[in-house]
Amino acid sequence: MRHIRSLLFSVFMFIASLSFATEENAHKELIFITSEYCLFCEAWEQDIGLLYHKTTYAKQAPLRRIDIAEVEFELPEIVEDVVGTPTFLMFQNGQEIGRIEGYQSAEMFFWALSEYVNQ
């Protein structure tokens, strides 16, 4: 069952990568708001963090990690306050264009992320 899930995930990643328009997304950045004691942040790091830099998503929206305690200093221009971790903020040309709050699974994360990368 685990191998089937991995295969389905790989197929999903490949299909999702085919629809990216590189010039349109050239100035996007994914910001991961994390905290040291967040179990869901740890799950994201194990499931995705180790491979994100190898994905097409990373080419379209490079990842930057920020501790929740540093948000107001690092990101004074965000639309709404960050109230929990993990929170993923999608920026384009220095402005927040979307966010993903929480983490359930790799499949759900990449599905939600594709909505912002494909804008």
Side-chain angles (χ1 to χ4, degrees):
M1 182 70 167
R2 188 174 187 183
H3 296 293
I4 293 171
R5 186 175 175 189
S6 294
L7 177 62
L8 289 174
F9 177 70
S10 297
V11 169
F12 173 79
M13 290 295 297
F14 175 74
I15 292 170
S17 71
L18 295 177
S19 63
F20 293 134
T22 54
E23 189 168 322
E24 181 178 308
N25 299 315
H27 301 291
K28 289 188 177 179
E29 179 180 36
L30 178 63
I31 299 177
F32 174 25
I33 309 300
T34 186
S35 66
E36 186 177 340
Y37 302 105
C38 172
L39 296 177
F40 293 102
C41 297
E42 289 178 26
W44 186 90
E45 289 287 3
Q46 288 181 355
D47 295 348
I48 299 171
L50 300 174
L51 65 93
Y52 183 82
H53 69 282
K54 297 178 183 179
T55 68
T56 304
Y57 292 95
K59 293 174 184 151
Q60 306 304 315
L63 178 69
R64 178 166 50 127
R65 291 169 177 84
I66 297 176
D67 189 89
I68 193 165
E70 301 296 318
V71 169
E72 67 182 72
F73 301 109
E74 295 282 332
L75 304 170
E77 68 278 0
I78 60 174
V79 176
E80 295 178 26
D81 290 340
V82 175
V83 295
T85 58
T87 299
F88 301 89
L89 306 175
M90 179 61 73
F91 276 74
Q92 183 171 15
N93 298 324
Q95 294 187 355
E96 182 182 345
I97 61 168
R99 65 175 60 196
I100 302 168
E101 297 177 322
Y103 175 70
Q104 294 177 355
S105 68
E107 293 86 0
M108 292 298 293
F109 173 79
F110 283 115
W111 174 76
L113 183 60
S114 69
E115 294 294 316
Y116 300 118
V117 174
N118 290 325
Q119 284 183 350

